[in-house]
Amino acid sequence: MDKEKHDARLRFAFASFLSANALRFTPERSHILNVALSFRRAFSALELLEACQDDDSMRVSRATVFNSLPLLERAGIIRRIAFDRTVSYEVIRQKLQLRARQHLVCTECGKVRRLQTPLLSAWVGSQTYRDFFPSPESALLTVQGICGKCRRNKQKNHKKIT
């Protein structure tokens, strides 16, 4: 399925979710959804706000962006990923296949690097999950450590002190 058709289905799903919950599908919410769909990676709420404000076609307030994120999450359009210091969101592109992702999180600066892990997908797919019927939809492995940039800065600062 090409991207335009999939994005149109997500827009329709969000509009249907809002109407089912007696909420309006406002132009601002539509704009926030379009900007969120333009991200090809995980994004923070502030990144979404900046992207909405960079686009001059519509003015969207900070409160509208932050209030729309839980709605998008409950509608099944985005997924919330919480780490120790940061919260990220990602658009759910495919639900049919098991998605296994690995996140490398720097404990110093909070930078998150996302990787697809086919071996993790294969392992999770081979396990028996009696509590999840019919099968799990996603798996997330978080590896925490210090990124190369922060490690080099620490070594530089340590050499200056000694």
Side-chain angles (χ1 to χ4, degrees):
M1 180 185 314
D2 64 337
K3 184 183 178 319
E4 291 82 25
K5 284 184 182 178
H6 185 68
D7 288 354
R9 286 187 179 179
L10 291 177
R11 283 185 195 90
F12 179 75
F14 187 50
S16 299
F17 169 81
L18 290 174
S19 68
N21 288 291
L23 298 168
R24 293 185 307 127
F25 188 53
T26 62
E28 291 83 5
R29 287 179 178 156
S30 176
H31 182 67
I32 292 167
L33 175 62
N34 290 335
V35 172
L37 292 175
S38 70
F39 281 98
R40 302 306 302 165
R41 58 175 177 74
F43 56 91
S44 69
L46 291 176
E47 288 173 329
L48 180 63
L49 175 64
E50 288 173 8
C52 286
Q53 291 175 344
D54 287 345
D55 188 1
D56 293 333
S57 65
M58 178 168 292
R59 176 155 162 52
V60 179
S61 72
R62 179 183 182 100
T64 304
V65 171
F66 278 82
N67 289 332
S68 295
L69 285 170
L71 295 174
L72 288 166
E73 186 179 0
R74 284 188 8 231
I77 307 295
I78 62 173
R79 175 182 306 137
R80 183 177 189 263
I81 305 166
F83 299 111
D84 283 346
R85 288 199 251 163
T86 61
V87 174
S88 296
Y89 298 91
E90 67 180 358
V91 176
I92 300 173
R93 299 271 179 212
Q94 298 173 339
K95 284 190 174 183
L96 299 177
Q97 69 185 57
L98 174 66
R99 298 208 38 202
R101 296 166 326 281
Q102 180 180 20
H103 288 104
L104 307 175
V105 182
C106 179
T107 55
E108 294 290 317
C109 66
K111 179 180 175 183
V112 178
R113 183 167 177 219
R114 183 177 144 205
L115 304 171
Q116 294 291 335
T117 54
L119 293 176
L120 182 60
S121 294
W123 181 79
V124 171
S126 68
Q127 302 302 309
T128 303
Y129 294 96
R130 293 184 191 136
D131 295 337
F132 295 107
F133 182 75
S135 63
E137 292 178 357
S138 67
L140 175 65
L141 172 67
T142 303
V143 179
Q144 297 179 342
I146 299 174
C147 68
K149 185 178 178 182
C150 291
R151 189 173 38 250
R152 286 189 295 277
N153 287 341
K154 270 187 159 183
Q155 289 172 350
K156 236 190 265 186
N157 291 337
H158 182 68
K159 286 180 183 177
K160 286 181 183 178
I161 293 173
T162 58

